[in-house]
Amino acid sequence: MLDANRSGTAPTSPPAATPAPPAAPVPPPAATSSLLAAAPGPVLTPAGPGAVAVPVLSRTGWAVRCTRLLLSPYARLSLLLALLAGGAAGVLVCEPQRLLTHGWPPQLGGAAAALVFAAAYGLCTVVFVPRPLLNLAAGAMFGSQVGLSTALAGTVLGAGVAFGLGRALGQDALRPLLRGRWLKAADGQLSRHGFRSMLALRLFPGVPFWAANYCAAVSRMGPLPFLLATALGSIPNTAAYAVAGARASAPTSPAFLIAMACVALPALAGTVVAWRKRHRLRAG
């Protein structure tokens, strides 16, 4: 110290410490866990103190989005329309009406032929083939009794398939479109009085078979009342057509004439009932 004073220089002080930069804010543990839970795929976690985990979109996330898109109501409705269009095109290409002119294949006979015909009958009704033609074909090919049993089995099968397809693929997309007065009234009638309404539709023909199936599928009717009413209500009309098909070679026979009368009278009665109930349907 005496030497420093003698030399005339001031004593040097130690350098001041540089302040440390502020630390990055660290999210609380709850926020970090919510980010990790909401991530659709694996999470990228950078190393280092205070680093935040960043979710990364992976193949699993894309698969979830594609699955949601494919299972959306309008995507399922598009699939239903594509299936029906493909089935109708297949019927036009295969021309099942040739069985009436060329006969049944010789390799099929007996119970096997009846089962195959019932399955084909059901699939044809799903894609809008009229039931009267199929009932006439059943009577012409198998006779009145076996033809009736085969046609009824195909009727219930086709109704069940159409109901299932319409309920699974079309109900969610079509129910929001039921805005008109007539549509709401028909939907309410089928939903509240399913068995009675479907039984009347089957007993008194007027509404096409396929249309009644898909309307019931869009409504809130249960599948069991629908199938039971279809089976019971289709017996008279199917029997009349089967007998007419079996006796088509003798159109002047009493059996054929009675069968045709049994076909015409329910249709006429259904038309009269629908005409008298039209005001109640509008009010509903």
Side-chain angles (χ1 to χ4, degrees), residues 66-277:
C66 292
T67 303
R68 290 178 180 176
L69 179 62
L70 292 176
L71 295 180
S72 63
Y74 288 102
R76 285 180 288 160
L77 179 61
S78 301
L79 176 60
L80 175 61
L81 296 178
L83 290 175
L84 295 180
V91 170
L92 293 177
V93 171
C94 295
E95 297 181 357
Q97 66 272 14
R98 291 184 300 177
L99 294 175
L100 295 177
T101 57
H102 296 79
W104 195 254
Q107 58 270 22
L108 287 178
L115 292 176
V116 172
F117 184 86
Y121 184 111
L123 295 178
C124 287
T125 58
V126 174
V127 293
F128 318 128
V129 176
R131 279 186 65 248
L133 297 179
L134 298 172
N135 292 333
L136 290 173
M141 297 173 62
F142 299 102
S144 57
Q145 296 181 358
V146 179
L148 172 60
S149 302
T150 305
L152 281 178
T155 297
V156 176
L157 175 63
V161 173
F163 185 88
L165 288 175
R167 178 63 57 89
L169 301 179
Q171 186 187 45
D172 293 338
L174 294 178
R175 281 203 65 82
L177 304 180
L178 301 177
R179 300 175 182 176
R181 180 183 301 176
W182 282 66
L183 293 177
K184 289 184 178 180
D187 175 68
Q189 187 70 19
L190 290 174
S191 300
R192 293 190 299 268
H193 311 287
F195 178 82
R196 184 176 65 187
S197 301
M198 187 54 57
L199 185 64
L201 288 176
R202 302 308 191 196
L203 286 174
F204 303 105
V207 179
F209 183 75
W210 59 268
N213 294 337
Y214 292 114
C215 288
V218 174
S219 72
R220 302 189 185 279
M221 181 190 301
L224 185 59
F226 169 77
L227 293 177
L228 185 59
T230 297
L232 295 178
S234 300
I235 292 176
N237 186 266
T238 305
Y241 276 107
V243 172
R247 301 303 177 93
S249 58
T252 57
S253 62
F256 182 85
L257 296 177
I258 293 175
M260 296 308 298
C262 292
V263 170
L265 290 178
L268 180 60
T271 303
V272 173
V273 171
W275 178 261
R276 296 183 61 181
K277 299 294 184 180

